Amino acid sequence: DVKVTQSSRYLVKRTGEKVFLECVQDMDHENMFWYRQDPGLGLRLIYFSYDVKMKEKGDIPEGYSVSREKKERFSLILESASTNQTSMYLCASSLHAGRGAKNIQYFGAGTRLSVL
Amino acid sequence: QQQVKQSPQSLIVQKGGISIINCAYENTAFDYFPWYQQFPGKGPALLIAIRPDVSEKKEGRFTISFNKSAKQFSLHIMDSQPGDSATYFCAATRNTNAGKSTFGDGTTLTVKP
């Protein structure tokens, strides 16, 4: 089974702190994604990466950055946390379509971040 | 601009009833339509998916109906059970390497015993 592991289930940070959310997948997937999930707003894509060191902005990248130094690890960085970044953050991964895979995303359990 | 519209936002069904969740998309380039199920405290997980060249796909009590001309698809849960209580997301994807998906806003289903 594909496993996507997010390093923390719950985080509490203070306004202005730099926050790192880590995600690791164990199935050699090329694509990795960061979403935030808020009630009534569904899953909103923050950033995604289709290869090591490659990244692209999603729909709501402001206030976030990402890092992908190794294929299995994708980090989300909040440079200066603000209260409006309090949310559930979900990481996901998928195979490249070129490997004959269906476009299915596998999600981690999420990190609930509270910024005080 | 939302490309996948999902309704209803919430749904309450009695045990044994039929749950129906609808989605509509705009981009005709989408070529794969998965549904994800998310239980509280968990991440979404694939439930069932369909390609646009098929009008219906059934897996157990879960069925996707797909209407390509109307650009609509729906999830039907037959004989709904309390264990089906979860949030359901429809999605639409293009078969590109980057594998981005566009998600609906989700439907919270409650099945009452």
Side-chain angles (χ1 to χ4, degrees):
Chain A
D1 280 351
V2 175
K3 191 165 186 180
V4 179
T5 303
Q6 295 183 229
S7 55
S8 303
R9 293 299 306 274
Y10 301 95
L11 274 179
V12 179
K13 297 292 181 181
R14 295 198 178 278
T15 302
E17 278 192 78
K18 190 169 186 176
V19 181
F20 293 86
L21 303 183
E22 306 287 345
C23 176
V24 177
Q25 50 93 5
D26 66 357
M27 282 301 291
D28 200 35
H29 285 176
E30 289 81 8
N31 303 323
M32 296 190 75
F33 308 84
W34 275 106
Y35 297 90
R36 64 177 282 176
Q37 181 176 15
D38 301 288
L41 297 178
L43 302 172
R44 293 184 290 168
L45 182 63
I46 304 171
Y47 268 96
F48 67 101
S49 168
Y50 53 87
D51 203 348
V52 176
K53 297 190 184 294
M54 306 302 291
K55 60 186 179 183
E56 286 198 19
K57 294 180 180 179
D59 301 319
I60 52 164
E62 295 78 19
Y64 303 94
S65 62
V66 290
S67 173
R68 190 153 181 215
E69 297 296 319
K70 294 185 177 181
K71 189 175 186 180
E72 67 272 17
R73 186 178 298 270
F74 192 34
S75 301
L76 179 69
I77 304 156
L78 287 65
E79 296 290 342
S80 177
S82 64
T83 56
N84 63 13
Q85 292 178 310
T86 292
S87 186
M88 170 68 83
Y89 291 87
L90 289 164
C91 175
S93 71
S94 70
L95 280 167
H96 266 178
R99 291 175 66 180
K102 297 174 183 175
N103 195 350
I104 298 168
Q105 295 194 12
Y106 297 85
F107 286 84
T111 296
R112 184 164 295 281
L113 173 67
S114 296
V115 182
L116 306 178
Chain B
Q1 181 184 0
Q2 185 179 9
Q3 296 187 56
V4 177
K5 294 184 179 180
Q6 183 172 347
S7 62
Q9 187 172 13
S10 62
L11 181 61
I12 300 174
V13 173
Q14 291 294 324
K15 179 182 176 181
I18 302 173
S19 304
I20 302 174
I21 304 170
N22 301 298
C23 285
Y25 64 98
E26 298 168 2
N27 188 345
T28 56
F30 290 137
D31 57 12
Y32 193 61
F33 299 87
W35 285 87
Y36 291 84
Q37 180 187 53
Q38 182 182 26
F39 293 107
K42 305 283 188 181
L46 178 70
L47 178 64
I48 186 173
I50 196 167
R51 294 193 184 282
D53 53 350
V54 176
S55 61
E56 184 176 283
K57 183 173 182 180
K58 184 176 181 179
E59 292 184 1
R61 296 184 293 108
F62 299 90
T63 299
I64 301 177
S65 298
F66 191 88
N67 186 329
K68 188 174 181 178
S69 60
K71 293 187 286 185
Q72 295 175 347
F73 59 110
S74 60
L75 176 69
H76 295 237
I77 305 174
M78 311 300 289
D79 188 25
S80 298
Q81 299 296 311
D84 297 330
S85 297
T87 299
Y88 293 81
F89 293 96
C90 62
T93 78
R94 295 181 60 189
N95 197 29
T96 61
N97 279 341
K100 281 177 60 178
S101 293
T102 300
F103 289 88
D105 284 347
T107 297
T108 301
L109 171 65
T110 302
V111 181
K112 290 192 174 295

